[in-house]
Amino acid sequence: MIKLNNNIEDLTTYLKSKGWLGDNESIVTVEKPGEGNMNFTLRITTETRSFIVKQSREYVEKYPQVAAPAERVLTEAKFYEVTETVPSLKAMMPTLVGLDKENNVMVMNDLGNGSDFTYLYQLGKKILEEDLFSVVDFAATLHTSITTDTQDSRISNTKMRALNHEHIFNYPYAVDNGINLDDILPGLQKEANRLKADNVLIAEVKKLGDLYLEDGDILLHGDYFPGSWLATVGGLKIIDPEFCFFGKAEFEIGVMLAHLKMANQFANIIEKAIDRYKSLAELDTSLCYKFMGIELIRRIIGLAQLPLEISLEKRVSLLNEARELIVN
Ligand SMILES: Nc1ncnc2c1ncn2[C@@H]1O[C@H](COP(=O)(O)OP(=O)(O)OP(=O)(O)O)[C@@H](O)[C@H]1O
Ligand SMILES: [Mg+2]
């Protein structure tokens, strides 16, 4: 197994051995294309072009002591392969340029120096309606065009789903899970403890977790939050489908809505997004709201924290709202 690094000489040897760098081509710069935790990702620039190289390893890049499914980039590549048959999806994603299955390395085209949408968590930042509709339309097109009716087999991504299941449905509710939420925001731990002792809630969360682990009939991106949406000169793009699987649309849309809530967007944005989605695809709104509740809780009291700027009071009110959505 070759472990890539950012040394130009080593990269040149590797890329030439794969035919991904021409005989007369040389690397001019190597840089980190943007923030990421899970994988080893580089932007390689030559005299004439640039491209992105992504390697997945048996651990989380930023936290090497945390194990992760080593072959996840192959699943991400599979997502690009199956979606590129649909022009409107292809137009909004990177194109797969090369794949080294032996070393879990993927090459894709460079979408340019864009920024993701995590700035929306900053107070006062609002998403443009046209961007919201782009995000919703991409999901609806994906969910209606890549299905068990159009594909021979499902992408199951079992190990990544198990990892996500742990972080979404178990860890936030585990009593001594090792995070001190008061370090994040004083007063938050008490609120988490209240939820952890709520057996009615826990039972419903377990059911929703089982539903997440069930195979569904449509392809989901699987990690549909502002960190996977990129604003580029070529418009809004969707990246990083390493958690993709065949599941339920309600999970995907619920997650998306939870982030719009935590980013404190205009009050009617949730209805607007749901109406738009429903004009294009089917959705069980009540189930979608339950998954929204699940994502709110796991992001507010779980390990995968976001750069949220909302107050403790606002977080508590979101937790309470989430609890009601889940149990009702
Ligand atoms: N094809 C691309 N074109 C341009 N920039 C890209 C491309 N792919 C990734 N990037 C940039 O690199 C960053 C990290 O990429 P990506 O999200 O795929 O990595 P990751 O390690 O899976 O991240 P995470 O830990 O969030 O899952 C992105 O946020 C984006 O800024
Ligand atoms: Mg990722």
Side-chain angles (χ1 to χ4, degrees), residues 2-160:
I2 294 170
K3 192 177 164 194
L4 298 184
N5 58 52
N6 51 12
N7 176 286
I8 290 186
E9 227 171 283
D10 294 348
L11 283 169
T12 303
T13 308
Y14 172 75
L15 293 169
K16 287 203 166 161
S17 79
K18 293 281 154 205
W20 292 335
L21 202 63
D23 287 341
N24 300 318
E25 204 177 7
S26 52
I27 298 175
V28 178
T29 59
V30 174
E31 62 181 352
K32 202 174 147 178
E35 279 316 307
N37 296 332
M38 288 285 286
N39 304 287
F40 182 78
T41 310
L42 295 175
R43 166 179 287 121
I44 309 239
T45 307
T46 72
E47 298 90 342
T48 53
R49 64 188 178 120
S50 63
F51 54 91
I52 305 288
V53 174
K54 184 167 179 178
Q55 181 173 44
S56 56
R57 295 163 175 172
E58 70 280 14
Y59 53 85
V60 175
E61 199 56 36
K62 198 165 168 189
Y63 309 102
Q65 68 282 8
V66 180
E71 294 173 356
R72 57 192 179 276
V73 88
L74 305 185
T75 313
E76 179 168 348
K78 181 83 190 156
F79 185 97
Y80 295 130
E81 274 166 22
V82 303
T83 53
E84 75 178 13
T85 57
V86 181
S88 60
L89 296 179
K90 185 175 164 58
M92 282 182 69
M93 304 205 81
T95 303
L96 181 64
V97 176
L99 192 61
D100 173 358
K101 292 189 178 176
E102 211 177 314
N103 295 301
N104 299 322
V105 176
M106 173 176 76
V107 176
M108 55 189 153
N109 74 322
D110 186 0
L111 298 171
N113 232 333
S115 93
D116 70 27
F117 278 78
T118 53
Y119 71 84
L120 289 175
Y121 303 118
Q122 294 168 24
L123 291 181
K125 297 281 195 278
K126 306 292 181 203
I127 192 170
L128 294 175
E129 184 173 86
E130 81 180 85
D131 288 336
L132 176 72
F133 287 170
S134 274
V135 167
V136 171
D137 292 5
F138 178 90
T141 306
L142 175 66
H143 299 163
T144 50
S145 56
I146 312 293
T147 70
T148 45
D149 289 338
T150 66
Q151 306 297 305
D152 294 336
S153 60
R154 292 181 166 95
I155 297 174
S156 60
N157 210 359
T158 314
K159 289 181 188 166
M160 286 293 269

